[in-house]
Amino acid sequence: MLGLFGCGGGSSGGGAAPPPPPPPPVAASAAGIWTGQAVTPDIPDIVTGFEFDDANGFVIGNAPYTADFQGGVAESRGIGALYADGLFSWHVAAAVAGTVTFATPGSTMSFSTRTVTAGDNATIQVLDENGTEILLTAVPGAFTQISVARGAGESLIGSVIVTVATGEIVIDAFTFGYPSTASIDDLGCLVAPNDEFVCVVSDAITDDIISAASGTVQVNGNQVTGSGNIYAAPGEILPNGSTIAALTISAGTVAQNTSLDVTIVSAGLSIAVTSTFDASYNRGSSLATVAAMYTTFDLLGDASSFDIDVAGVISGQTVTGCVLSGQVSIIDAAANAYDVNLVADAATCGALAGDYNGLGSSQDENVMDDVFVFGVDIDGQSMIVGEAVK
């Protein structure tokens, strides 16, 4: 880095002109093949003690993990017996239906409830995500905790309905939780010289693909940001119950050809990714390297094969008759990253049909460059991940 030097202490004379400022630092490159881990936390619980005044309905939590309270009033009346926690509670009176609706169904719920006056008559009904009753209970005259827990294979909690026939009830110390999402999964990403990326997440134990993602990154100095979409693998769902969700990359740093660490925010969670550079990226690329007949390739459960000819043209067909075509192209001959276009024929491929675009790289299974790994998608609609073996 250039230093700046001040002029001497003379009392007159022009002196030498100051040196020019140093050039701005060159941004590091995030291009590479990166392997590492994706750490997904549990979804945080919704928790409220209703410590606020609100008579118009309110939402607790952060999207998409929210609880929408309607029909009651959050308030304090200065009567300690009406609060299980703090100085406020949620009041629901006769002739006003109180409801709690969960944007994302959950697995556990607990709260304390009581009638305001002995003899008041009210019930609380808990429904699952399909509207089927899980629990129906009368509200007692003294604070009692109501708890619901759903086990593996059971439908999740969708809503609560409060019906007050006479008098009034209060609900306080409300907590709502979700099935565990905590995991440490394997991750492999290809970031191309054109700043496009494709990532695949696999279960660290079974090696099954859980999800895949695609998008673009931006690098400023050594800071990495980006955006794109994440797609659940067939038979899987994302933490918020969807199969496709937008993602953003933030708080990322790259040490060129060494490490890439980012935070991916998607489906309501922040996923921490740590990865290291794979030297196979520096092999470079050529159509001669990938030109071959690939006899083993699974297209979303449909056994397939295809050819890449010396011009990069793809042709192939699945066992069920889905006709494939497309093109593999060089992005930068110095990088083991290829642009991939894969077309699934509209007449023969059914729901899979479409024009997919993405990236691929040449990898090793039994010998060098005997596998072509790729991920292609129709932006925001569907994604195909392939590992084609020569």
Side-chain angles (χ1 to χ4, degrees):
M1 182 171 63
L2 296 176
L4 296 177
F5 296 89
C7 297
S11 59
S12 63
V26 176
S29 173
I33 295 172
W34 305 94
T35 59
Q37 293 184 321
V39 179
T40 303
D42 274 331
I43 301 168
D45 290 349
I46 294 173
V47 180
T48 183
F50 306 101
E51 296 298 301
F52 49 84
D53 285 301
D54 196 312
N56 299 312
F58 50 89
V59 175
I60 301 296
N62 297 306
Y65 307 105
T66 58
D68 184 1
F69 292 78
Q70 297 292 330
V73 177
E75 63 181 1
S76 176
R77 296 185 183 174
I79 303 172
L82 298 182
Y83 319 118
D85 178 42
L87 300 174
F88 289 71
S89 56
W90 188 46
H91 295 247
V92 181
V96 178
T99 61
V100 186
T101 305
F102 304 105
T104 300
S107 58
T108 62
M109 178 179 63
S110 67
F111 55 86
S112 293
T113 187
R114 61 161 291 175
T115 60
V116 171
T117 304
D120 291 347
N121 183 11
T123 60
I124 291 177
Q125 183 184 35
V126 180
L127 305 179
D128 72 3
E129 56 196 315
N130 304 310
T132 302
E133 183 178 280
I134 297 172
L135 173 71
L136 178 64
T137 184
V139 179
F143 267 125
T144 299
Q145 186 177 64
I146 305 296
S147 297
V148 178
R150 307 298 282 168
E154 292 185 303
S155 56
L156 299 177
I157 303 166
S159 61
V160 178
I161 300 175
V162 179
T163 304
V164 182
T166 60
E168 185 180 23
I169 74 161
V170 293
I171 290 176
D172 205 359
F174 189 101
T175 300
F176 183 73
Y178 302 87
S180 175
T181 56
S183 64
I184 301 177
D185 301 306
D186 292 334
L187 174 138
C189 291
L190 169 61
V191 182
N194 60 5
D195 295 328
E196 295 181 6
F197 74 83
V198 167
C199 295
V200 178
V201 180
S202 303
D203 186 290
I205 297 174
T206 66
D207 203 34
D208 293 334
I209 295 175
I210 300 169
S211 61
S214 65
T216 58
V217 297
Q218 298 82 45
V219 181
N220 183 8
N222 70 339
Q223 303 298 300
V224 181
T225 57
S227 61
N229 294 294
I230 187 168
Y231 303 82
E236 302 283 343
I237 59 172
L238 301 176
N240 66 349
S242 68
T243 57
I244 302 172
L247 68 82
T248 59
I249 297 173
S250 62
T253 59
V254 60
Q256 188 167 330
N257 295 343
T258 302
S259 64
L260 176 64
D261 302 327
V262 300
T263 298
I264 296 176
V265 179
S266 183
L269 293 180
S270 294
I271 303 167
V273 171
T274 58
S275 63
T276 56
F277 184 78
D278 186 326
S280 66
Y281 181 77
N282 290 331
R283 289 179 187 170
S285 55
S286 72
L287 294 179
T289 298
V290 297
M293 177 181 290
Y294 294 87
T295 57
T296 304
F297 166 49
D298 187 276
L299 188 68
L300 299 183
D302 192 0
S304 314
S305 63
F306 67 80
D307 296 343
I308 302 176
D309 72 12
V310 292
V313 176
I314 297 173
S315 59
Q317 185 169 314
T318 72
V319 168
T320 62
C322 173
V323 175
L324 305 173
S325 60
Q327 178 72 46
V328 176
S329 304
I330 303 299
I331 300 171
D332 180 340
N336 182 7
Y338 298 81
D339 184 82
V340 180
N341 169 247
L342 183 68
V343 179
D345 177 61
T348 59
C349 297
L352 185 65
D355 194 337
Y356 297 78
N357 291 284
L359 303 171
S361 69
S362 182
Q363 296 292 296
D364 311 332
E365 183 163 301
N366 298 310
V367 296
M368 182 179 290
D369 293 321
D370 66 338
V371 179
F372 189 64
V373 179
F374 62 92
V376 291
D377 72 326
I378 301 174
D379 187 33
Q381 297 183 40
S382 59
M383 186 167 186
I384 297 171
V385 175
E387 185 178 79
V389 182
K390 293 179 181 178

